[in-house]
């Protein structure tokens, strides 16, 4: 009996904390502030709806909100540290509050995903698909689809990759490989990838809806 009461109290506290967070994220003032920032500031580079035109700036539209929020916290905490992250995003994120970060993540996640590119060589795209779906067995590279999903739409901590700029994806794979973007799981994946394999998988991803 006593255990049931303690369990019940714990559950109520958990539910209470969860709904407090949800209320915070849905605060209309915070949402409006985040949208102004997204359109007026972030939009200069990422596009007002998160579909940037320049390949240096990642597309954020349709990205998983959990991933987006985690990246903004990683920039703010100065943990995501390749030169472009330092040069562009450390300053941008320095004064963002947690509620604003969550609202920005929700804003981008709700935008329509980018249109796929048709500008890549068919043979390269086919090679990229093979790597994405099967990995490179001889080199111990796992299938990307195992974590990023069969359609590359990702889930939670695993980012969406579909429709991302190939040049950006390529650069991230190189940064994971040399640990400038220091994430153990992706270092393990990218470690043995050859440049040509990175290019192919990046090209394939940009052609996905
Ligand atoms: C002056 C240009 C610029 C502005 C303004 C800017 N960013 Fe960025 N952002 C970048 C660049 C460049 C990168 C890629 C960094 C890298 O290569 O690691 C990036 C990366 C990101 C990422 C990581 C995306 C991913 O797929 O991992 C997020 C999220 C992000 N920016 C959100 C924002 C938000 C929110 C704002 C506004 C508060 C903003 N950015 C303003 C240039 C900019
Ligand atoms: C074991 C799970 C796992 C596998 C397999 C995996 N990834 Fe990832 N990947 C992740 C995680 C987790 C992240 C987020 C890293 C972070 O938090 O910064 C990520 C991030 C990325 C990013 C950065 C996205 C962005 O917007 O900046 C790219 C690009 C990427 N992965 C490509 C690939 C490719 C290509 C493969 C296959 C060769 C692959 N991944 C296989 C887990 C995985």
């Amino acid at each position: 009996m006593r255990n049931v009461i303690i369990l019940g109290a714990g559950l109520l506290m958990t539910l209470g904390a969860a709904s407090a967070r949800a209320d915070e994220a849905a605060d209309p003032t915070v949402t409006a502030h985040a949208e102004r920032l997204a359109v007026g500031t972030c939009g200069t580079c990422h596009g007002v709806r998160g579909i940037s035109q320049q390949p240096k700036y990642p597309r954020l539209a349709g990205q998983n909100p959990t991933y987006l929020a985690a990246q903004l916290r990683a920039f703010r905490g100065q943990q995501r540290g390749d030169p472009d992250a330092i040069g562009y995003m450390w300053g941008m994120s320095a004064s963002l509050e947690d509620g604003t970060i969550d609202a920005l993540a929700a804003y981008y996640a709700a935008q329509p995903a980018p249109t796929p590119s048709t500008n890549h060589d068919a043979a390269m795209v086919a090679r990229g698909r093979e790597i994405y779906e099967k990995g490179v067995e001889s080199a111990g590279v796992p299938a990307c689809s195992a974590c990023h999903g069969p359609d590359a739409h990702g889930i939670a901590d695993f980012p969406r990759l579909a429709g991302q700029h190939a040049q950006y994806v390529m650069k991230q794979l190189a940064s994971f490989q040399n640990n400038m973007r220091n994430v153990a799981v992706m270092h393990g994946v990218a470690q043995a990838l050859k440049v040509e394999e990175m290019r192919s998988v990046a090209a394939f991803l940009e052609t996905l809806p």
Side-chain angles (χ1 to χ4, degrees), residues 58-60 63 67 70-71 74 80 131-132 135-136 141-148 157-161 164 168-173 176 181-183 185-186 189-190 193 197-198 201-202 205:
R59 291 178 168 153
L60 308 176
Q63 185 57 276
Y67 171 77
Q71 296 309 304
R80 179 168 160 178
I131 296 167
Y132 188 83
V136 184
V141 177
C144 320
S145 58
C147 294
H148 294 280
D157 294 339
F158 302 126
R160 176 194 173 91
L161 303 173
Q164 187 55 274
Y168 170 79
V169 167
M170 177 71 204
K171 211 211 79 178
Q172 298 311 307
L173 289 172
F176 287 128
R181 182 171 172 187
N182 195 348
V183 182
V185 48
M186 275 307 298
V189 170
L193 275 179
E197 291 164 340
M198 291 184 190
V201 79
L205 289 167

Side-chain angles (χ1 to χ4, degrees), residues 42 45-46 58 67 75 80 82 84 89 92 168 171-172:
C42 322
C45 296
H46 293 287
Y67 171 77
F75 291 129
R80 179 168 160 178
D82 60 282
D84 286 333
M89 285 306 300
M92 274 294 146
Y168 170 79
K171 211 211 79 178
Q172 298 311 307

Side-chain angles (χ1 to χ4, degrees), residues 90-175:
W90 282 18
M92 274 294 146
S93 58
S95 62
L96 294 178
E97 285 170 19
D98 281 333
T100 312
I101 285 184
D102 293 339
L104 281 165
Y107 171 83
Y108 289 115
Q111 302 306 315
T115 327
S117 159
T118 49
N119 277 344
H120 293 287
D121 175 68
M124 207 176 182
V125 170
R127 174 74 185 119
R129 176 187 290 278
E130 203 180 324
I131 296 167
Y132 188 83
E133 290 173 352
K134 302 193 185 114
V136 184
E137 215 183 325
S138 56
V141 177
C144 320
S145 58
C147 294
H148 294 280
D151 50 10
H153 287 189
I155 176 167
D157 294 339
F158 302 126
R160 176 194 173 91
L161 303 173
Q164 187 55 274
H165 292 294
Q167 183 185 310
Y168 170 79
V169 167
M170 177 71 204
K171 211 211 79 178
Q172 298 311 307
L173 289 172
S175 301

